[in-house]
Each structure stands twice: as C-alpha cells, then as structure tokens.
Amino acid sequence: MEISASSRQILAGLLESRTGQQIGIGRRWRVDAALAPIARDGGFTDVDELVKRIASGQAPALAEKVLEALLNNETYFYRDKLPFDLLFAEPLKRIEAARMKERRLSIWSVGCSTGQELYSIAMSLAEQATRWRGWTIDLVGTDISRTATERARAGRYSQFEVQRGLPVLQMVRWFEEEGAGQWRIAQPIRDMVRFENRGIADRPPMPGMFDIILCRNVLLYFADSMKRLAYTRLADAIRPEGALMLGAGETVIGQTDRFVSDPDSRGLYRPAPGAEARRVA
Amino acid sequence: MKTCLVVDDSKVIRKVARHILETLDFTVEEAEDGRAALDHCTGSGMPDVVLLDWNMPVMSGMEFLRALRRVEGGDAPKVVFCTTENDIAHIRAAIEAGADEYVMKPFDRETLHSKLQIVGAA
Ligand SMILES: C[S@@+](CC[C@H](N)C(=O)[O-])C[C@H]1O[C@@H](n2cnc3c(N)ncnc32)[C@H](O)[C@@H]1O
C-alpha cells in the first residue's frame, strides 16, 4: 500500500536528522516494503498510522525500530574485491614501513554494517601471521545501526551471506558450520575485532588515529554539508601515510580537499599533504 | 568473451544460470549431466569456467570433476560447484577433488559474480 506524502516527509526528516542519510528517489519504494512488517507487528492499520505514532514523540523504541529498518545495511565479504587486493599491496607496505618502530596498526571500518568488511580485513591479516607477529593491531567497526553492530559482534551469517564474496577456502578455514544454514566466524577472528554502535558525526573510536579507514557505501546518501563533516572526521583521524578506501562508485573529487586519490591504487585515497598542519593549527 | 559450461540436470537452473552469466558477458554452453559435459570438454574444447551441479543422473559432478582433471588440458577450466549440498564435508571433498570455488544453492547474481571474480574469470 502507498504511504502518504506527509508520512514520507516525517520519515525522511527522522532519518536525516538522526543519521545524515537522505531518502533518494530510487530508494522510496523500500520505505513501504521496510515498514509494512513493523506496522503489522505493532497492530497498526497501516504505515501512516505507525508514522503518526512515531511523530507524536511518545514511542522512542518504535522510532528506533523504524530508523533501523530505513537504513540500507547491504554488504558482503571483500566487496568489489579489487580495492582489497590493492590495499594489501603497496599501501599496506607503505604503512607497515611507517609503523615498523611502534609495531602498531589500526584500522577503522566506518559504517561497518554487519561486519563483513572488517572481518575480511581480519582474515587477510590472520593469513599473514608471520608478517604481523609482535604487532598490536586494532580493528574497529562502527555503525549507527544498533542491530547491525550486534550482528557484527555475533559474527553469525546465513548461508546466503557467508558465500557472497568470500573465497571457499577462507570459508572452510575461518567459519564454523552451526547447522540450519547458519555459519559463524571463528573465535580467533572474532577476538581480533571490536564493534561499536556510533555515528560518523560522533568522535572516532579508540585508539583515535588510524592507518587505514574504510568508509564504503555510507556517504552516498548524505547531504553535502554532512559529507563535508564526515570527511573532516575521517581526515582528522587518519595518519599522514594512511589510506582511505571508499566504495566502488565513490570519489573524494569535488567533495573534500582533505584527501587526494592514490595514483597507484584506484579506489584508494590519501590524506592531502598539509592535513597534519591544519589539524594542529 | 569467456565461455562457461553450465552442467545441471535441471533445465530451470540452467536457464537461470545462463541468464545471469550472459549479463556478466559470458558465452554459455549447457550440458545436462557429467557425461555430456565431459564429451563437450574433450570434443568442442575446454571452457574457461564450468558451473557444476553435484547430483545428476548418468555421471555426477564429482565423477565429472575427477575425470576432467585427468584428461589433457583438463586442469585449465576453473570449476565452480553449484549445488544444494551445503555442508562442510561436501565442500571439503570438492576442494580436494580440484574444485576452485563452491556456490551453495540458492544463489543470486551477486554471489555468482563474486565467485567468478575470485577464480579470475570475471
Ligand atoms: C550500505 S551499508 C555499507 C556497509 C559496508 N561499508 C560496505 O560497503 O559493504 C551502509 C552502512 O552505513 C551505516 N550508516 C548510515 N549512516 C551512518 C552514520 N551517520 N554513521 C555511521 N554509520 C552510518 C548504515 O547503518 C549501514 O550499515
């Protein structure tokens, strides 16, 4: 059933004020599909009634649920593959050299959704055990969706999710079959990562500065002002020799002057020279 | 354009797979069991990729794979199992027999695409 224009407006306002995400034309159909089950479960006659209840401000838990349903959590292991291959070539070597003295590496997946992105990195590092022996590695994922971060932490994936993008050898090596089509990423990998429920506009998680930041398919639906704020947050949290990975269709060009493309690795970006000075000033 | 041989006794699955593979720029051939697939490989030439069901009449996917890896040039095609056998024992056995990837049915375009990228065919 079609929901009213005023309901759409209320929902769009809620989503944008809480997350920065705008509901694009192409995503409108999702609204009805995403909210119909919540309306039904809550005993509302239709989605408009559900929206009215939320707009009253008297049902924060319900509003939270609706918000979660409006977020697009789509993700999969090694999404787009190539940028991960590129990251693990030159950029990681450069970062390893820069951090050799402290032997400390920190990686942040912003908008990590259900964790596949960060677990992909964790598995790849675990497969280079000798290289990273003696290193302290922080792998942190953050997302504004509470349910997504909870799922990420649990590390449980359906049969459908577990094979999307994940090489079978890695699946066999790092996952346990739990039965009923459910797979769980193994404890040693779960022990490498940390997930926190926080938005990109909030302060970055500990340790605060990162060598690699992945912010993929998150900024797409942000308004320009929110994009600028997000890039400022990321630029303030990345080390000078660090690498930023965006989604396949995304670019910093025309969006921020705090990052520049990495000429050798398509899809990867580096902090603009002088960014350090700006931060101190 | 790369070629993919779809081996499945279900006409519906072959059709679905063909449709997806064509959107991924593959030339698609079909075989309805392992025997027909083997004849195809030795007769018409090796495909770049074989998308292989497990349970089929006449010759199973596993028998086909073992036979394929023994014939001349049979180590070249990337073999991607695509089956409802979705437990770790079957998956391990497939890898040991020389399969390159494994897709558990049901699958969609993204899953298949990602697996073909992994074997370097897409
Ligand atoms: C499409 S998913 C992308 C997941 C993963 N990065 C990838 O590329 O596969 C986008 C994620 O961004 C999260 N998100 C949206 N707005 C956010 C915000 N303001 N702060 C943090 N995360 C946000 C959503 O909850 C969702 O999980």
Side-chain angles (χ1 to χ4, degrees), chain B residues 31-101:
Chain B
E32 60 189 17
D33 61 59
R35 181 80 256 160
L38 200 59
D39 289 346
H40 183 99
C41 289
T42 51
S44 320
M46 294 292 168
D48 296 296
V49 185
V50 181
L51 194 66
L52 184 64
D53 188 18
W54 194 297
N55 294 306
M56 290 176 291
V58 187
M59 185 191 266
S60 75
M62 200 58 156
E63 288 164 328
F64 162 83
L65 176 57
R66 293 212 175 95
L68 176 74
R69 294 308 195 207
R70 261 185 259 118
V71 301
E72 195 179 334
D75 49 354
K78 300 291 181 191
V79 173
V80 179
F81 259 107
C82 184
T83 165
T84 48
E85 302 298 340
N86 56 11
D87 57 283
I88 201 110
H90 274 90
I91 297 171
R92 285 223 166 88
I95 296 169
E96 258 162 50
D100 297 283
E101 261 305 331

Side-chain angles (χ1 to χ4, degrees), chain A residues 175-233:
Chain A
F175 283 79
E176 288 150 17
E177 195 184 4
E178 289 196 316
Q182 183 141 284
W183 298 72
R184 187 170 202 195
I185 196 151
Q187 186 82 54
I189 302 292
R190 294 208 305 277
D191 289 345
M192 292 173 72
V193 303
R194 194 174 88 234
F195 291 100
E196 291 177 18
N197 177 213
R198 60 168 87 212
I200 198 168
D202 303 339
R203 283 162 48 102
M206 292 299 286
M209 291 298 286
F210 295 89
D211 299 294
I212 297 169
I213 299 180
L214 299 97
C215 185
R216 313 192 68 213
N217 308 297
V218 179
L219 307 180
L220 246 46
Y221 301 106
F222 282 174
D224 285 344
S225 59
M226 180 67 183
K227 268 187 199 155
R228 268 194 302 278
L229 172 63
Y231 277 120
T232 302
R233 284 278 182 273

Side-chain angles (χ1 to χ4, degrees), chain A residues 106-111 117-118 138-142 198-200 202-205 208 210 212-215 233-234 237:
Chain A
S106 48
I107 301 177
W108 180 18
S109 161
V110 193
E117 185 171 280
L118 192 63
D138 292 282
L139 293 168
V140 194
T142 59
R198 60 168 87 212
I200 198 168
D202 303 339
R203 283 162 48 102
F210 295 89
I212 297 169
I213 299 180
L214 299 97
C215 185
R233 284 278 182 273
L234 302 183

